Amino acid sequence: MRKKSDPKFTRSMMMLIPLTTEFGRRGGNTKAVLARNKLPLEALTNPAMLIDAAACYAAIEDMAESLGDRYFAARVAEEAAKKGTPSLRTAARRAKTLGDFLSRVVMEVAAQANNVRYVLSTTADSAVLQVNRAIKVPGPTTQADAIGVVLYVTIIKRGLGSTFDPNRIFVNVPTTAGIPTGLLPKKALLRSEINGLRISFPPQWLWAPFALDWNMPETPRGEFGPAGAAEATFSYFRNVLNDNLGHHDLTLNRFAAICGLHPRHLQRILATQGTSYRQMKDEVRRSITEDLLANSSTPIAQIAQQVGFSSPSALDRAFKQWTGKTPSSVRLKSTQKAKDRSTVASASIPAPDPRPPSVGRRSREK
Protein backbone atom coordinates (compact mmCIF):
# COMPACT_ATOMS: atom_id res chain seq x y z
CA MET A 1 0.00 0.00 0.00
CA ARG A 2 1.27 3.46 -0.87
CA LYS A 3 1.68 5.67 2.15
CA LYS A 4 2.20 9.43 2.21
CA SER A 5 5.24 8.87 4.43
CA ASP A 6 6.94 6.74 1.77
CA PRO A 7 9.45 9.00 -0.06
CA LYS A 8 9.07 6.92 -3.22
CA PHE A 9 5.68 8.50 -3.83
CA THR A 10 4.39 12.02 -4.44
CA ARG A 11 1.00 13.63 -4.93
CA SER A 12 0.02 13.88 -8.59
CA MET A 13 -1.08 17.50 -8.17
CA MET A 14 2.38 18.59 -7.01
CA MET A 15 4.02 18.25 -10.43
CA LEU A 16 2.24 15.92 -12.82
CA ILE A 17 -1.15 17.61 -13.29
CA PRO A 18 0.11 21.13 -14.20
CA LEU A 19 2.58 19.63 -16.68
CA THR A 20 0.16 17.20 -18.33
CA THR A 21 -2.33 20.06 -18.65
CA GLU A 22 0.14 22.11 -20.69
CA PHE A 23 1.38 19.04 -22.55
CA GLY A 24 -2.14 18.20 -23.69
CA ARG A 25 -2.84 21.82 -24.64
CA ARG A 26 0.14 21.68 -26.97
CA GLY A 27 -1.13 18.55 -28.66
CA GLY A 28 0.78 15.93 -26.67
CA ASN A 29 -0.63 12.44 -26.13
CA THR A 30 -0.91 12.39 -22.34
CA LYS A 31 -2.33 8.87 -22.12
CA ALA A 32 0.60 7.49 -24.11
CA VAL A 33 3.14 9.23 -21.86
CA LEU A 34 1.48 7.87 -18.73
CA ALA A 35 1.35 4.37 -20.20
CA ARG A 36 5.02 4.43 -21.23
CA ASN A 37 6.03 5.45 -17.73
CA LYS A 38 3.61 3.06 -15.96
CA LEU A 39 1.56 5.80 -14.34
CA PRO A 40 -2.21 5.33 -13.83
CA LEU A 41 -4.60 7.47 -15.85
CA GLU A 42 -6.48 8.16 -12.62
CA ALA A 43 -3.58 10.40 -11.56
CA LEU A 44 -5.00 13.09 -13.86
CA THR A 45 -8.40 13.19 -12.17
CA ASN A 46 -7.47 12.49 -8.56
CA PRO A 47 -5.22 15.30 -7.26
CA ALA A 48 -4.64 13.55 -3.93
CA MET A 49 -3.44 10.34 -5.57
CA LEU A 50 0.05 9.15 -4.68
CA ILE A 51 2.21 8.20 -7.65
CA ASP A 52 5.72 6.85 -8.07
CA ALA A 53 8.07 9.86 -7.85
CA ALA A 54 10.75 8.39 -10.15
CA ALA A 55 8.09 7.56 -12.77
CA CYS A 56 6.77 11.12 -12.47
CA TYR A 57 10.24 12.55 -13.19
CA ALA A 58 10.61 10.19 -16.15
CA ALA A 59 7.21 11.21 -17.54
CA ILE A 60 8.21 14.89 -17.42
CA GLU A 61 11.37 14.14 -19.39
CA ASP A 62 9.24 12.13 -21.82
CA MET A 63 6.86 15.06 -22.37
CA ALA A 64 9.68 17.49 -23.12
CA GLU A 65 11.26 15.03 -25.55
CA SER A 66 7.93 14.36 -27.29
CA LEU A 67 7.40 18.08 -27.85
CA GLY A 68 11.01 18.66 -28.85
CA ASP A 69 11.18 21.47 -26.28
CA ARG A 70 13.98 21.24 -23.74
CA TYR A 71 12.51 24.26 -21.91
CA PHE A 72 9.04 22.70 -21.62
CA ALA A 73 9.02 22.32 -17.82
CA ALA A 74 10.71 25.70 -17.36
CA ARG A 75 7.90 27.40 -19.27
CA VAL A 76 5.28 25.71 -17.08
CA ALA A 77 7.23 26.73 -13.96
CA GLU A 78 7.38 30.33 -15.15
CA GLU A 79 3.60 30.41 -15.59
CA ALA A 80 3.18 28.87 -12.14
CA ALA A 81 5.38 31.63 -10.71
CA LYS A 82 3.09 34.22 -12.26
CA LYS A 83 -0.15 32.65 -10.96
CA GLY A 84 0.92 30.60 -7.94
CA THR A 85 0.27 26.97 -7.03
CA PRO A 86 -2.01 25.90 -4.17
CA SER A 87 0.80 25.53 -1.62
CA LEU A 88 2.58 28.69 -2.78
CA ARG A 89 -0.60 30.75 -2.63
CA THR A 90 -1.18 29.56 0.92
CA ALA A 91 2.39 30.51 1.85
CA ALA A 92 2.12 33.94 0.22
CA ARG A 93 -1.28 34.87 1.60
CA ARG A 94 0.00 36.58 4.76
CA ALA A 95 3.73 36.80 4.10
CA LYS A 96 5.18 40.29 4.41
CA THR A 97 8.86 39.46 3.89
CA LEU A 98 10.79 36.96 1.78
CA GLY A 99 11.87 35.12 4.95
CA ASP A 100 8.27 34.82 6.07
CA PHE A 101 7.23 33.48 2.64
CA LEU A 102 10.03 30.90 2.38
CA SER A 103 9.44 29.69 5.96
CA ARG A 104 5.80 29.09 5.11
CA VAL A 105 6.80 27.31 1.87
CA VAL A 106 8.99 24.92 3.87
CA MET A 107 6.06 24.09 6.16
CA GLU A 108 3.54 23.76 3.31
CA VAL A 109 5.75 21.37 1.32
CA ALA A 110 6.52 19.31 4.43
CA ALA A 111 2.79 18.87 5.00
CA GLN A 112 2.05 17.77 1.43
CA ALA A 113 5.07 15.87 0.11
CA ASN A 114 7.63 13.46 1.43
CA ASN A 115 9.70 12.87 -1.70
CA VAL A 116 11.43 16.26 -1.28
CA ARG A 117 12.61 18.10 1.82
CA TYR A 118 12.98 21.86 1.98
CA VAL A 119 15.44 23.52 4.33
CA LEU A 120 15.85 27.27 4.90
CA SER A 121 19.06 28.26 6.67
CA THR A 122 21.06 31.44 7.17
CA THR A 123 24.51 32.62 8.23
CA ALA A 124 26.06 36.05 8.46
CA ASP A 125 27.13 35.74 4.82
CA SER A 126 24.23 34.08 3.04
CA ALA A 127 20.74 32.66 3.22
CA VAL A 128 20.08 29.29 1.58
CA LEU A 129 16.94 27.56 0.36
CA GLN A 130 17.82 23.93 -0.23
CA VAL A 131 15.60 21.32 -1.86
CA ASN A 132 16.72 17.74 -1.23
CA ARG A 133 15.20 14.77 -3.01
CA ALA A 134 14.50 11.91 -0.62
CA ILE A 135 15.27 9.31 -3.30
CA LYS A 136 17.96 8.92 -5.93
CA VAL A 137 16.25 9.13 -9.32
CA PRO A 138 17.79 6.61 -11.76
CA GLY A 139 17.23 8.66 -14.93
CA PRO A 140 17.87 12.29 -15.94
CA THR A 141 16.23 15.10 -13.98
CA THR A 142 16.80 17.94 -16.45
CA GLN A 143 13.15 19.01 -16.47
CA ALA A 144 12.60 18.61 -12.73
CA ASP A 145 15.76 20.63 -12.02
CA ALA A 146 14.52 23.39 -14.31
CA ILE A 147 11.16 23.51 -12.53
CA GLY A 148 12.71 24.19 -9.13
CA VAL A 149 15.20 26.77 -10.35
CA VAL A 150 12.84 28.72 -12.62
CA LEU A 151 9.93 28.61 -10.16
CA TYR A 152 11.77 29.91 -7.11
CA VAL A 153 14.13 32.34 -8.84
CA THR A 154 11.18 33.89 -10.70
CA ILE A 155 9.09 34.14 -7.52
CA ILE A 156 11.93 35.68 -5.53
CA LYS A 157 12.60 38.16 -8.33
CA ARG A 158 8.93 39.16 -8.66
CA GLY A 159 8.34 39.32 -4.92
CA LEU A 160 11.39 41.44 -4.09
CA GLY A 161 11.04 43.86 -7.00
CA SER A 162 13.84 46.43 -7.07
CA THR A 163 15.63 44.74 -4.16
CA PHE A 164 16.46 41.73 -6.34
CA ASP A 165 19.97 41.75 -7.82
CA PRO A 166 20.74 38.92 -10.29
CA ASN A 167 24.45 39.25 -9.51
CA ARG A 168 23.90 38.35 -5.85
CA ILE A 169 22.02 35.08 -6.21
CA PHE A 170 23.63 31.70 -6.93
CA VAL A 171 22.06 28.36 -7.81
CA ASN A 172 23.62 24.90 -7.46
CA VAL A 173 21.88 22.28 -9.58
CA PRO A 174 22.85 18.95 -11.22
CA THR A 175 22.28 20.27 -14.75
CA THR A 176 21.43 23.62 -16.29
CA ALA A 177 20.38 22.16 -19.67
CA GLY A 178 16.66 22.81 -19.13
CA ILE A 179 17.04 26.35 -17.76
CA PRO A 180 16.36 29.11 -20.33
CA THR A 181 19.15 31.59 -21.00
CA GLY A 182 18.43 34.98 -19.52
CA LEU A 183 16.96 33.75 -16.25
CA LEU A 184 20.23 34.52 -14.45
CA PRO A 185 23.79 35.41 -15.46
CA LYS A 186 25.83 32.34 -16.43
CA LYS A 187 28.09 32.75 -13.42
CA ALA A 188 25.06 32.42 -11.12
CA LEU A 189 24.18 28.91 -12.36
CA LEU A 190 26.58 26.34 -10.96
CA ARG A 191 26.50 22.64 -11.84
CA SER A 192 26.93 20.54 -8.71
CA GLU A 193 26.69 16.93 -7.57
CA ILE A 194 23.58 17.60 -5.53
CA ASN A 195 20.38 15.57 -5.40
CA GLY A 196 18.09 18.57 -5.64
CA LEU A 197 19.04 22.23 -5.74
CA ARG A 198 20.44 25.02 -3.59
CA ILE A 199 19.64 28.73 -3.95
CA SER A 200 21.90 31.17 -2.10
CA PHE A 201 21.34 34.91 -1.71
CA PRO A 202 22.17 37.79 0.70
CA PRO A 203 20.63 37.26 4.17
CA GLN A 204 19.34 40.84 4.09
CA TRP A 205 16.81 39.76 1.47
CA LEU A 206 15.03 37.62 4.07
CA TRP A 207 13.55 40.64 5.82
CA ALA A 208 13.05 42.73 2.69
CA PRO A 209 9.40 43.59 1.79
CA PHE A 210 7.91 40.82 -0.32
CA ALA A 211 4.68 40.97 -2.35
CA LEU A 212 3.27 38.96 -5.26
CA ASP A 213 0.50 40.20 -7.55
CA TRP A 214 -1.45 36.93 -7.59
CA ASN A 215 -4.58 38.69 -6.28
CA MET A 216 -5.95 35.53 -4.73
CA PRO A 217 -9.39 36.04 -3.16
CA GLU A 218 -9.80 35.02 0.47
CA THR A 219 -12.89 32.77 0.74
CA PRO A 220 -12.81 30.94 4.10
CA ARG A 221 -15.38 28.13 4.50
CA GLY A 222 -16.98 29.03 1.18
CA GLU A 223 -18.31 32.35 2.48
CA PHE A 224 -17.99 35.56 0.51
CA GLY A 225 -16.80 38.43 2.60
CA PRO A 226 -17.02 42.11 1.73
CA ALA A 227 -19.02 43.46 -1.19
CA GLY A 228 -17.32 42.69 -4.48
CA ALA A 229 -15.49 39.62 -3.18
CA ALA A 230 -17.96 37.29 -4.90
CA GLU A 231 -17.34 38.87 -8.30
CA ALA A 232 -13.57 38.75 -7.74
CA THR A 233 -13.83 35.05 -6.88
CA PHE A 234 -15.93 34.22 -9.94
CA SER A 235 -13.62 36.26 -12.13
CA TYR A 236 -10.72 34.17 -10.86
CA PHE A 237 -12.63 30.90 -11.44
CA ARG A 238 -13.56 31.95 -14.98
CA ASN A 239 -9.95 32.87 -15.75
CA VAL A 240 -8.78 29.46 -14.53
CA LEU A 241 -11.42 27.77 -16.67
CA ASN A 242 -10.36 29.83 -19.68
CA ASP A 243 -6.76 28.70 -19.22
CA ASN A 244 -7.58 25.02 -18.75
CA LEU A 245 -10.73 24.26 -20.78
CA GLY A 246 -8.76 22.62 -23.56
CA HIS A 247 -8.86 19.38 -21.57
CA HIS A 248 -12.18 17.56 -21.71
CA ASP A 249 -11.25 15.74 -18.48
CA LEU A 250 -11.29 18.99 -16.45
CA THR A 251 -13.31 17.45 -13.64
CA LEU A 252 -14.45 19.22 -10.50
CA ASN A 253 -11.63 17.58 -8.52
CA ARG A 254 -9.00 18.67 -10.99
CA PHE A 255 -10.36 22.22 -11.24
CA ALA A 256 -10.48 22.51 -7.44
CA ALA A 257 -6.86 21.34 -7.21
CA ILE A 258 -5.75 23.97 -9.72
CA CYS A 259 -7.58 26.63 -7.66
CA GLY A 260 -6.05 25.36 -4.43
CA LEU A 261 -9.42 24.42 -2.90
CA HIS A 262 -11.06 21.23 -1.68
CA PRO A 263 -13.83 20.16 -4.10
CA ARG A 264 -16.52 20.41 -1.41
CA HIS A 265 -15.22 23.86 -0.45
CA LEU A 266 -15.46 24.95 -4.09
CA GLN A 267 -19.00 23.54 -4.39
CA ARG A 268 -20.09 25.47 -1.27
CA ILE A 269 -18.67 28.70 -2.69
CA LEU A 270 -20.60 28.21 -5.92
CA ALA A 271 -23.79 27.10 -4.13
CA THR A 272 -23.93 30.34 -2.13
CA GLN A 273 -24.27 32.13 -5.45
CA GLY A 274 -26.90 29.77 -6.83
CA THR A 275 -24.73 27.98 -9.34
CA SER A 276 -22.61 24.86 -9.71
CA TYR A 277 -19.30 23.90 -11.28
CA ARG A 278 -21.08 22.38 -14.29
CA GLN A 279 -23.20 25.50 -14.84
CA MET A 280 -20.19 27.80 -14.55
CA LYS A 281 -18.16 25.59 -16.90
CA ASP A 282 -20.97 25.57 -19.48
CA GLU A 283 -21.33 29.37 -19.28
CA VAL A 284 -17.62 29.85 -19.99
CA ARG A 285 -17.72 27.26 -22.79
CA ARG A 286 -20.71 28.96 -24.39
CA SER A 287 -19.15 32.43 -24.16
CA ILE A 288 -15.88 31.31 -25.77
CA THR A 289 -17.68 29.31 -28.49
CA GLU A 290 -20.01 32.16 -29.45
CA ASP A 291 -17.11 34.61 -29.62
CA LEU A 292 -15.00 32.32 -31.82
CA LEU A 293 -17.92 31.51 -34.12
CA ALA A 294 -18.79 35.17 -34.62
CA ASN A 295 -15.37 36.79 -34.66
CA SER A 296 -12.90 34.27 -36.02
CA SER A 297 -12.40 31.75 -38.79
CA THR A 298 -11.31 29.05 -36.33
CA PRO A 299 -12.60 25.67 -37.59
CA ILE A 300 -15.48 24.28 -35.53
CA ALA A 301 -13.50 21.10 -34.82
CA GLN A 302 -10.73 23.23 -33.31
CA ILE A 303 -13.23 25.26 -31.28
CA ALA A 304 -14.61 22.01 -29.85
CA GLN A 305 -11.14 21.00 -28.73
CA GLN A 306 -10.40 24.46 -27.36
CA VAL A 307 -13.45 24.46 -25.08
CA GLY A 308 -12.89 20.90 -23.92
CA PHE A 309 -15.20 18.71 -25.99
CA SER A 310 -14.06 15.33 -27.26
CA SER A 311 -15.48 15.90 -30.76
CA PRO A 312 -17.35 18.45 -32.92
CA SER A 313 -20.53 16.40 -32.49
CA ALA A 314 -20.26 16.75 -28.70
CA LEU A 315 -19.99 20.52 -29.11
CA ASP A 316 -22.92 20.44 -31.53
CA ARG A 317 -25.17 18.71 -28.97
CA ALA A 318 -24.16 21.04 -26.14
CA PHE A 319 -24.52 24.19 -28.27
CA LYS A 320 -28.05 23.15 -29.29
CA GLN A 321 -28.96 22.80 -25.63
CA TRP A 322 -27.54 26.25 -24.84
CA THR A 323 -28.92 28.22 -27.80
CA GLY A 324 -31.29 26.02 -29.81
CA LYS A 325 -28.95 26.45 -32.79
CA THR A 326 -26.01 24.58 -34.27
CA PRO A 327 -22.48 26.02 -34.37
CA SER A 328 -22.43 25.74 -38.18
CA SER A 329 -25.66 27.77 -38.54
CA VAL A 330 -24.29 30.51 -36.27
CA ARG A 331 -21.01 30.56 -38.20
CA LEU A 332 -22.90 30.75 -41.52
CA LYS A 333 -25.05 33.64 -40.27
CA SER A 334 -21.99 35.53 -38.96
CA THR A 335 -20.18 34.99 -42.28
CA GLN A 336 -23.19 36.29 -44.22
CA LYS A 337 -23.43 39.38 -42.03
CA ALA A 338 -19.75 40.08 -42.61
CA LYS A 339 -20.28 39.77 -46.39
CA ASP A 340 -23.32 42.08 -46.24
CA ARG A 341 -21.33 44.69 -44.33
CA SER A 342 -18.54 44.41 -46.88
CA THR A 343 -21.00 44.82 -49.77
CA VAL A 344 -22.57 47.92 -48.20
CA ALA A 345 -19.15 49.43 -47.56
CA SER A 346 -18.09 48.79 -51.16
CA ALA A 347 -21.28 50.32 -52.54
CA SER A 348 -20.74 53.52 -50.59
CA ILE A 349 -17.40 54.17 -52.30
CA PRO A 350 -17.82 56.03 -55.66
CA ALA A 351 -16.58 54.09 -58.66
CA PRO A 352 -13.49 55.66 -60.27
CA ASP A 353 -13.81 57.35 -63.71
CA PRO A 354 -12.59 54.70 -66.19
CA ARG A 355 -11.42 57.34 -68.70
CA PRO A 356 -7.78 58.39 -68.74
CA PRO A 357 -7.27 61.87 -67.26
CA SER A 358 -6.17 63.19 -70.69
CA VAL A 359 -9.58 62.48 -72.24
CA GLY A 360 -11.30 64.75 -69.80
CA ARG A 361 -8.79 67.55 -70.41
CA ARG A 362 -9.12 67.39 -74.23
CA SER A 363 -12.90 67.53 -74.10
CA ARG A 364 -12.82 70.62 -71.92
CA GLU A 365 -10.30 72.32 -74.25
CA LYS A 366 -12.72 71.84 -77.13
Side-chain angles (χ1 to χ4, degrees), residues 39-336:
L39 287 169
L41 190 59
E42 185 188 350
L44 300 182
T45 56
N46 183 358
M49 185 175 188
L50 294 175
I51 58 175
D52 185 276
C56 180
Y57 291 136
I60 299 170
E61 299 292 331
D62 193 344
M63 284 184 267
E65 186 176 345
S66 297
L67 293 174
D69 182 2
R70 65 172 176 169
Y71 300 137
F72 164 66
R75 299 181 207 280
V76 176
E78 187 175 11
E79 283 302 306
K82 293 177 182 178
K83 300 177 182 178
T85 65
S87 58
L88 292 176
R89 286 194 293 264
T90 300
R93 188 160 282 134
R94 292 182 177 84
K96 302 299 182 183
T97 66
L98 175 61
D100 189 12
F101 170 72
L102 292 179
S103 297
R104 293 171 185 268
V105 167
V106 170
M107 292 187 290
E108 283 294 322
V109 173
Q112 295 192 39
N114 199 50
N115 64 303
V116 288
R117 297 190 179 93
Y118 282 36
V119 178
L120 178 64
S121 59
T122 183
T123 66
D125 298 320
S126 69
V128 177
L129 174 66
Q130 186 153 329
V131 180
N132 301 313
R133 294 192 184 99
I135 62 170
K136 185 67 176 177
V137 181
T141 59
T142 304
Q143 299 301 309
D145 294 340
I147 290 173
V149 174
V150 174
L151 180 68
Y152 287 107
V153 169
T154 303
I155 286 175
I156 292 172
K157 179 179 180 179
R158 289 168 63 89
L160 289 180
S162 59
T163 299
F164 182 83
D165 182 349
N167 295 307
R168 302 190 69 193
I169 187 170
F170 297 93
V171 177
N172 293 79
V173 69
T175 175
T176 61
I179 302 172
T181 56
L183 179 72
L184 287 174
K186 285 186 177 181
K187 65 179 182 180
L189 295 171
L190 310 172
R191 294 184 61 181
S192 176
E193 294 297 325
I194 180 174
N195 190 21
L197 68 94
R198 182 187 300 116
I199 303 176
S200 307
F201 50 87
Q204 294 83 359
W205 288 8
L206 287 174
W207 53 85
F210 183 83
L212 293 161
D213 56 354
W214 289 338
N215 296 323
M216 292 298 299
E218 298 252 2
T219 53
R221 296 183 303 280
E223 299 170 359
F224 293 99
E231 183 55 37
T233 302
F234 277 115
S235 177
Y236 168 67
F237 286 162
R238 286 192 291 267
N239 286 337
V240 173
L241 278 169
N242 257 311
D243 291 341
N244 294 278
L245 268 179
H247 305 277
H248 59 267
D249 58 349
L250 188 62
T251 61
L252 169 64
N253 285 350
R254 188 170 185 181
F255 179 76
I258 294 171
C259 294
L261 299 169
H262 191 281
R264 286 196 295 273
H265 184 178
L266 176 64
Q267 287 174 312
R268 286 197 296 269
I269 293 174
L270 296 174
T272 59
Q273 297 301 303
T275 189
S276 66
Y277 173 62
R278 181 175 180 176
Q279 288 175 306
M280 180 177 65
K281 185 177 177 181
D282 280 346
E283 287 170 5
V284 173
R285 279 173 153 174
R286 174 178 175 173
S287 176
I288 295 173
T289 301
E290 289 179 331
D291 179 61
L292 291 174
L293 289 172
N295 302 307
S296 79
S297 58
T298 306
I300 291 176
Q302 189 175 330
I303 294 175
Q305 183 179 22
Q306 191 167 331
V307 296
F309 285 102
S310 57
S311 65
S313 60
L315 172 61
D316 193 75
R317 288 192 296 271
F319 199 77
K320 281 181 180 177
Q321 289 180 345
W322 300 333
T323 67
K325 305 171 185 177
T326 64
S328 56
S329 66
V330 172
R331 167 61 59 78
L332 184 62
K333 188 174 181 180
S334 298
T335 303
Q336 188 59 52

